[in-house]
Amino acid sequence: MAGALPAETIATVLSGAHTDPFSVLGVHATAKDFVARCFIPGAWDVAAETLSGKALGALTRRDDAGFFEGLVALKKIQPVRYRARNEGGEWTVIDPYSFGPVLGPMDDYYIREGSHLRLFDKLGAHPIKHDGADGFHFAVWAPNAQRVSVVGEFNAWDGRRHVMRLRSDTGIWEIFLPGVQDDMIYKYEIIGKNGELLPLKADPFARRSELRPNNGSKTTGEIAQVWEDEAHRAHWASVDARRQPISIYEVHAASWQRRDNGDMLSWDEMAERLIPYCIDMGFTHIEFLPITEYPFDPSWGYQTTGLYAPTARFGEPEGFARFVNGAHKVGLGVILDWVPAHFPTDAHGLGWFDGTALYEHEDPRQGFHPDWNTAIYNFGRAEVFSYLVNNALYWAEKFHLDGLRVDAVASMLYLDYSRKHGEWVPNEYGGNENLDAVRFLQTMNTEVYGSHPGILTIAEESTSWPKVSAPVHAGGLGFGFKWNMGFMHDTLQYFAREPIHRKHHHSDMTFGLIYAFSENFVLPLSHDEVVHGKGSLVAKMAGDDWQKFANLRAYYGFMWGYPGKKLLFMGQEFAQWREWAEDRSLDWNLLEYPLHEGMRRLVRDLNGTYRNKAALHGRDCEGEGFEWLIADDSENSVFAFLRKAPGEKMVAVISNFTPVYRENYSIPLPVEGRWKEILNSDAEIYGGSGKGNGGIVKASRNSTGGISASIMLPPLATLMLEQD
């Protein structure tokens, strides 16, 4: 037969050594005719036909392993299928090698440039109709591989059957596989540049994964969600988030609550419980610890191997979409804790993906994270840069997320982070700034805010890097907000001290106002403060049990009055005693006890007061919204300040951080008249002693011509007074 394939070439196909099977398999033109070739293991006889079933001719078995070749009655190259037979019966196989490529030259151009903003629609596995056939298109970046194959339950995990086509300009391998359906498990089999067979790799762009301990990727279609959140998204797109009330409930989805048998809740079960709870408690947003696929439960999601896949622990991706939609319908935002700083070295993950340091730096001084034993992304590589920027856009677009809290930003910004002298590589100017990471963060924020104007990006940045939450055009990183780690550290340190010693550490509570408006801050009492032997928040407080609860109530009152958005980790709203653990539910039974239920009521009322009183949130990020009334009464450990917003009634926040009940304490106030006591953390309903001012305080001119009010200060308590 003219154009018959040499036996040695057939042997390379059968052994999986052929690096370009598209050049030999499928339909090819000879001098006068068309020839079809296929590899169908287990087949005895094979005949070719069109996709509609028209016979094209029988093929000759060239090798008993299942290699067939023969002339076909075609007038042009087109997709074909094969009717195969053996002793077990007959079946049809649509030939993937008879289809042309799916990606085009413009994809190649933007991918090489690193500016492709729709990679999540191009790479990974996507259901499409291609040249008349339904199936899945697979594409993966592996520029240094000798060969890449899709393997899965649809081809008996045989890497010889579906070797992919290399797009040499980009290093992307692609193939269209007709007949592959939703919910099928797959991975990539990769031969490295030196001919080594690598561990099977999960798809970096997989949008669904197997439930751990399995780690395969799963085919899935577009999110099938009818979104009903237009009003919610329009609101956040139309306002300045800095001037809105933002109170975030930080949640570890696997341990907030569990079923009676200890199993994790599904997204739908969580929606039925968590959304109403947050609405009742007055939180404006839920922030989930990472829910992108991760193999190891005790990592809490911070060691993710599937940045594009909601973890299978809580069900299918549509379940998460339903959760977000349900939250939005009642005005509750959803924020994702996002981890672009590092990735784990699990064999099926991104590490040495094509046999080279592809996503990470090869030099361990740049590519290995000593704190977490993880790999660090190579932000200077255009494809890696684009992979991460696209991921941020993916969650915002496909799941309508309201925000991304970016983890471990400081570790990204500094080349010498957690490293000793000689263990890091300076930048081109000799400094320790990671200029590639800076460019990545600026680009990510620019693209996310540019296409999703209602979104929030929040940096967990623990140093004094300047302008973290300033716009990129002003030289900033472009985040919307930054966690105020200094506030958390100083105030918790203060409350751990016995009240008698606090007068010597008064500045722990006042120092933060020196820099409080240098960034747009979120005040975080996060999961990091209640794990690894640190104890719960109530356990950190000084004193006996009564004082611990009173201290925490007073602390919450001070924090909700303090400038900055609020974040509280789950369980701390009802003063869970035990330190948080990721493998069990919160101790909800504690709400049977008055002190714990009182704490929950206080947090609910603080959220309500914060949201309803514009003076407490309208100028959270601007100095004009804050004024000290009493900053230097260290002897009594009393603090008082004013919160203001244009055109709104002022609110005075007064805190007494000793267990001494103070009568006739003089507080300067800006205007005469009645001031309503709108919140008292010592109220009996919260578990306090019930001391207070009967709901009203009167301010009048004193002998020096100033305005003041003589008030009663409950022990270990915070009061809020509103101008009547």
Side-chain angles (χ1 to χ4, degrees), residues 612-616 618 643-651 722-723:
N612 293 330
K613 306 300 181 183
L616 289 175
R643 294 300 310 279
K644 303 176 285 185
E648 303 290 342
K649 293 181 178 180
M650 292 177 283
V651 174
E722 184 185 42
Q723 176 188 1

Side-chain angles (χ1 to χ4, degrees), residues 472-719:
V472 172
H473 65 76
L477 294 182
F479 285 95
F481 293 92
K482 172 183 171 174
W483 273 19
N484 191 336
M485 312 292 277
F487 169 87
M488 174 275 299
H489 176 270
D490 291 348
T491 54
L492 286 179
Q493 178 176 267
Y494 180 88
F495 277 94
R497 301 183 191 279
E498 293 293 336
I500 195 170
H501 301 304
R502 289 176 179 171
K503 61 184 177 182
H504 304 298
H505 303 278
H506 199 72
S507 63
D508 282 350
M509 303 300 285
T510 59
F511 177 71
L513 270 303
I514 294 175
Y515 61 86
F517 308 106
S518 62
E519 301 276 4
N520 304 324
F521 279 123
V522 173
L523 310 180
L525 293 178
S526 74
H527 66 280
D528 279 332
E529 311 318 313
V530 295
V531 291
H532 297 324
K534 296 178 183 177
S536 65
L537 290 183
V538 71
K540 293 176 189 289
M541 301 292 112
D544 58 23
D545 283 1
W546 187 91
Q547 287 196 14
K548 286 182 184 295
F549 277 86
N551 268 308
L552 188 57
R553 291 193 301 267
Y555 181 27
Y556 285 166
F558 179 86
M559 173 174 159
W560 260 254
Y562 194 93
K565 309 310 178 185
K566 325 302 176 190
L567 179 142
L568 187 64
F569 184 58
M570 65 180 198
Q572 307 314 303
E573 77 276 16
F574 60 82
Q576 174 163 307
W577 272 113
R578 286 197 298 179
E579 185 175 87
W580 169 62
E582 44 77 24
D583 59 351
R584 64 173 184 244
S585 171
L586 298 179
D587 297 330
W588 292 100
N589 61 300
L590 291 177
L591 289 174
E592 300 172 11
Y593 300 95
L595 283 175
H596 294 279
E597 170 59 16
M599 192 71 72
R600 187 196 67 80
R601 288 180 175 181
L602 173 66
V603 172
R604 181 188 61 189
D605 289 353
L606 283 170
N607 277 333
T609 303
Y610 171 68
R611 293 178 70 168
N612 293 330
K613 306 300 181 183
L616 289 175
H617 66 253
R619 290 296 185 269
D620 261 336
C621 304
E622 298 159 82
E624 65 182 285
F626 178 90
E627 179 185 333
W628 277 116
L629 298 173
I630 298 175
D632 55 2
D633 188 4
S634 58
E635 190 62 34
N636 294 312
S637 297
V638 172
F639 304 82
F641 53 84
L642 204 63
R643 294 300 310 279
K644 303 176 285 185
E648 303 290 342
K649 293 181 178 180
M650 292 177 283
V651 174
V653 181
I654 307 107
S655 295
N656 173 20
F657 292 141
T658 67
V660 179
Y661 174 51
R662 305 188 187 282
E663 295 186 276
N664 301 316
Y665 189 93
S666 181
I667 297 286
L669 289 169
V671 295
E672 293 183 85
R674 287 160 45 105
W675 288 69
K676 294 184 292 186
E677 189 177 78
I678 59 174
L679 190 132
N680 178 355
S681 72
D682 191 52
E684 290 183 1
I685 194 174
Y686 305 139
S689 63
K691 301 290 193 295
N693 296 278
I696 295 293
V697 166
K698 189 171 183 181
S700 57
R701 293 209 172 267
N702 53 39
S703 58
T704 64
I707 301 171
S708 63
S710 181
I711 69 172
M712 296 181 181
L713 281 183
L716 293 174
T718 293
L719 305 176

